PDB file of all heavy atoms in Angstrom:
ATOM      1  N   LEU A 170      -4.977  14.024   1.270  1.00 96.00           N
ATOM      2  CA  LEU A 170      -5.135  14.051   2.722  1.00 96.00           C
ATOM      3  C   LEU A 170      -3.735  14.249   3.303  1.00 96.00           C
ATOM      4  O   LEU A 170      -2.759  14.268   2.544  1.00 96.00           O
ATOM      5  CB  LEU A 170      -5.771  12.745   3.213  1.00 96.00           C
ATOM      6  CG  LEU A 170      -7.276  12.579   2.953  1.00 96.00           C
ATOM      7  CD1 LEU A 170      -7.678  11.111   2.999  1.00 96.00           C
ATOM      8  CD2 LEU A 170      -8.098  13.379   3.967  1.00 96.00           C
ATOM      9  N   PRO A 171      -3.573  14.408   4.610  1.00 95.00           N
ATOM     10  CA  PRO A 171      -2.222  14.560   5.156  1.00 95.00           C
ATOM     11  C   PRO A 171      -1.295  13.417   4.736  1.00 95.00           C
ATOM     12  O   PRO A 171      -1.710  12.274   4.609  1.00 95.00           O
ATOM     13  CB  PRO A 171      -2.468  14.564   6.666  1.00 95.00           C
ATOM     14  CG  PRO A 171      -3.827  15.164   6.806  1.00 95.00           C
ATOM     15  CD  PRO A 171      -4.603  14.608   5.641  1.00 95.00           C
ATOM     16  N   GLY A 172      -0.034  13.753   4.527  1.00 94.00           N
ATOM     17  CA  GLY A 172       0.935  12.761   4.079  1.00 94.00           C
ATOM     18  C   GLY A 172       1.791  13.263   2.940  1.00 94.00           C
ATOM     19  O   GLY A 172       2.764  12.616   2.551  1.00 94.00           O
ATOM     20  N   GLY A 173       1.426  14.436   2.380  1.00 95.00           N
ATOM     21  CA  GLY A 173       2.238  15.073   1.359  1.00 95.00           C
ATOM     22  C   GLY A 173       2.572  14.186   0.177  1.00 95.00           C
ATOM     23  O   GLY A 173       1.724  13.464  -0.359  1.00 95.00           O
ATOM     24  N   GLU A 174       3.836  14.236  -0.240  1.00 96.00           N
ATOM     25  CA  GLU A 174       4.276  13.483  -1.417  1.00 96.00           C
ATOM     26  C   GLU A 174       4.199  11.980  -1.188  1.00 96.00           C
ATOM     27  O   GLU A 174       4.018  11.212  -2.139  1.00 96.00           O
ATOM     28  CB  GLU A 174       5.704  13.887  -1.787  1.00 96.00           C
ATOM     29  CG  GLU A 174       5.824  15.299  -2.336  1.00 96.00           C
ATOM     30  CD  GLU A 174       5.006  15.489  -3.612  1.00 96.00           C
ATOM     31  OE1 GLU A 174       5.132  14.653  -4.526  1.00 96.00           O
ATOM     32  OE2 GLU A 174       4.258  16.475  -3.688  1.00 96.00           O
ATOM     33  N   SER A 175       4.331  11.542   0.063  1.00 96.00           N
ATOM     34  CA  SER A 175       4.245  10.103   0.346  1.00 96.00           C
ATOM     35  C   SER A 175       2.831   9.581   0.104  1.00 96.00           C
ATOM     36  O   SER A 175       2.652   8.485  -0.431  1.00 96.00           O
ATOM     37  CB  SER A 175       4.678   9.814   1.784  1.00 96.00           C
ATOM     38  OG  SER A 175       6.079   9.861   1.909  1.00 96.00           O
ATOM     39  N   LEU A 176       1.822  10.361   0.514  1.00 96.00           N
ATOM     40  CA  LEU A 176       0.444   9.936   0.241  1.00 96.00           C
ATOM     41  C   LEU A 176       0.187   9.917  -1.254  1.00 96.00           C
ATOM     42  O   LEU A 176      -0.408   8.965  -1.778  1.00 96.00           O
ATOM     43  CB  LEU A 176      -0.559  10.863   0.927  1.00 96.00           C
ATOM     44  CG  LEU A 176      -2.018  10.522   0.580  1.00 96.00           C
ATOM     45  CD1 LEU A 176      -2.429   9.168   1.167  1.00 96.00           C
ATOM     46  CD2 LEU A 176      -2.981  11.603   1.035  1.00 96.00           C
ATOM     47  N   LYS A 177       0.640  10.959  -1.939  1.00 97.00           N
ATOM     48  CA  LYS A 177       0.472  11.011  -3.393  1.00 97.00           C
ATOM     49  C   LYS A 177       1.141   9.801  -4.052  1.00 97.00           C
ATOM     50  O   LYS A 177       0.574   9.154  -4.935  1.00 97.00           O
ATOM     51  CB  LYS A 177       1.058  12.309  -3.947  1.00 97.00           C
ATOM     52  CG  LYS A 177       0.820  12.515  -5.436  1.00 97.00           C
ATOM     53  CD  LYS A 177       1.518  13.767  -5.936  1.00 97.00           C
ATOM     54  CE  LYS A 177       0.997  15.017  -5.264  1.00 97.00           C
ATOM     55  NZ  LYS A 177       1.628  16.248  -5.816  1.00 97.00           N
ATOM     56  N   GLY A 178       2.358   9.485  -3.588  1.00 97.00           N
ATOM     57  CA  GLY A 178       3.059   8.337  -4.137  1.00 97.00           C
ATOM     58  C   GLY A 178       2.329   7.032  -3.869  1.00 97.00           C
ATOM     59  O   GLY A 178       2.241   6.161  -4.739  1.00 97.00           O
ATOM     60  N   PHE A 179       1.797   6.892  -2.658  1.00 97.00           N
ATOM     61  CA  PHE A 179       1.046   5.679  -2.302  1.00 97.00           C
ATOM     62  C   PHE A 179      -0.140   5.480  -3.230  1.00 97.00           C
ATOM     63  O   PHE A 179      -0.385   4.372  -3.741  1.00 97.00           O
ATOM     64  CB  PHE A 179       0.579   5.780  -0.852  1.00 97.00           C
ATOM     65  CG  PHE A 179      -0.309   4.641  -0.413  1.00 97.00           C
ATOM     66  CD1 PHE A 179       0.226   3.394  -0.141  1.00 97.00           C
ATOM     67  CD2 PHE A 179      -1.681   4.819  -0.287  1.00 97.00           C
ATOM     68  CE1 PHE A 179      -0.594   2.332   0.257  1.00 97.00           C
ATOM     69  CE2 PHE A 179      -2.503   3.769   0.105  1.00 97.00           C
ATOM     70  CZ  PHE A 179      -1.959   2.527   0.380  1.00 97.00           C
ATOM     71  N   ILE A 180      -0.889   6.550  -3.485  1.00 97.00           N
ATOM     72  CA  ILE A 180      -2.066   6.467  -4.351  1.00 97.00           C
ATOM     73  C   ILE A 180      -1.665   6.169  -5.789  1.00 97.00           C
ATOM     74  O   ILE A 180      -2.237   5.278  -6.436  1.00 97.00           O
ATOM     75  CB  ILE A 180      -2.875   7.783  -4.286  1.00 97.00           C
ATOM     76  CG1 ILE A 180      -3.482   7.978  -2.888  1.00 97.00           C
ATOM     77  CG2 ILE A 180      -3.977   7.801  -5.351  1.00 97.00           C
ATOM     78  CD1 ILE A 180      -4.070   9.354  -2.663  1.00 97.00           C
ATOM     79  N   LEU A 181      -0.669   6.879  -6.290  1.00 98.00           N
ATOM     80  CA  LEU A 181      -0.320   6.764  -7.708  1.00 98.00           C
ATOM     81  C   LEU A 181       0.404   5.459  -8.027  1.00 98.00           C
ATOM     82  O   LEU A 181       0.205   4.894  -9.115  1.00 98.00           O
ATOM     83  CB  LEU A 181       0.516   7.965  -8.134  1.00 98.00           C
ATOM     84  CG  LEU A 181      -0.218   9.323  -8.058  1.00 98.00           C
ATOM     85  CD1 LEU A 181       0.710  10.454  -8.465  1.00 98.00           C
ATOM     86  CD2 LEU A 181      -1.481   9.320  -8.916  1.00 98.00           C
ATOM     87  N   VAL A 182       1.224   4.958  -7.114  1.00 98.00           N
ATOM     88  CA  VAL A 182       1.848   3.646  -7.347  1.00 98.00           C
ATOM     89  C   VAL A 182       0.769   2.566  -7.366  1.00 98.00           C
ATOM     90  O   VAL A 182       0.794   1.659  -8.219  1.00 98.00           O
ATOM     91  CB  VAL A 182       2.915   3.343  -6.284  1.00 98.00           C
ATOM     92  CG1 VAL A 182       3.370   1.879  -6.376  1.00 98.00           C
ATOM     93  CG2 VAL A 182       4.125   4.255  -6.460  1.00 98.00           C
ATOM     94  N   THR A 183      -0.194   2.662  -6.454  1.00 97.00           N
ATOM     95  CA  THR A 183      -1.305   1.700  -6.455  1.00 97.00           C
ATOM     96  C   THR A 183      -2.085   1.784  -7.761  1.00 97.00           C
ATOM     97  O   THR A 183      -2.499   0.763  -8.324  1.00 97.00           O
ATOM     98  CB  THR A 183      -2.229   1.961  -5.255  1.00 97.00           C
ATOM     99  OG1 THR A 183      -1.461   1.963  -4.052  1.00 97.00           O
ATOM    100  CG2 THR A 183      -3.304   0.886  -5.158  1.00 97.00           C
ATOM    101  N   LEU A 184      -2.276   3.002  -8.255  1.00 98.00           N
ATOM    102  CA  LEU A 184      -2.947   3.193  -9.545  1.00 98.00           C
ATOM    103  C   LEU A 184      -2.183   2.501 -10.667  1.00 98.00           C
ATOM    104  O   LEU A 184      -2.771   1.847 -11.544  1.00 98.00           O
ATOM    105  CB  LEU A 184      -3.072   4.692  -9.830  1.00 98.00           C
ATOM    106  CG  LEU A 184      -3.741   5.124 -11.149  1.00 98.00           C
ATOM    107  CD1 LEU A 184      -4.446   6.464 -10.947  1.00 98.00           C
ATOM    108  CD2 LEU A 184      -2.708   5.294 -12.276  1.00 98.00           C
ATOM    109  N   LEU A 185      -0.844   2.616 -10.646  1.00 98.00           N
ATOM    110  CA  LEU A 185      -0.042   1.992 -11.699  1.00 98.00           C
ATOM    111  C   LEU A 185      -0.069   0.471 -11.621  1.00 98.00           C
ATOM    112  O   LEU A 185       0.069  -0.214 -12.641  1.00 98.00           O
ATOM    113  CB  LEU A 185       1.392   2.512 -11.628  1.00 98.00           C
ATOM    114  CG  LEU A 185       1.553   4.001 -11.985  1.00 98.00           C
ATOM    115  CD1 LEU A 185       3.003   4.436 -11.816  1.00 98.00           C
ATOM    116  CD2 LEU A 185       1.071   4.284 -13.407  1.00 98.00           C
ATOM    117  N   VAL A 186      -0.244  -0.067 -10.413  1.00 98.00           N
ATOM    118  CA  VAL A 186      -0.445  -1.521 -10.284  1.00 98.00           C
ATOM    119  C   VAL A 186      -1.746  -1.913 -10.976  1.00 98.00           C
ATOM    120  O   VAL A 186      -1.801  -2.918 -11.705  1.00 98.00           O
ATOM    121  CB  VAL A 186      -0.463  -1.939  -8.796  1.00 98.00           C
ATOM    122  CG1 VAL A 186      -0.830  -3.417  -8.671  1.00 98.00           C
ATOM    123  CG2 VAL A 186       0.894  -1.683  -8.152  1.00 98.00           C
TER     124      VAL A 186
END
Side-chain angles (χ1 to χ4, degrees):
L170 285 159
E174 291 300 310
S175 283
L176 176 67
K177 185 184 298 183
F179 175 75
I180 294 169
L181 296 178
V182 169
T183 306
L184 179 149
L185 293 177
V186 174

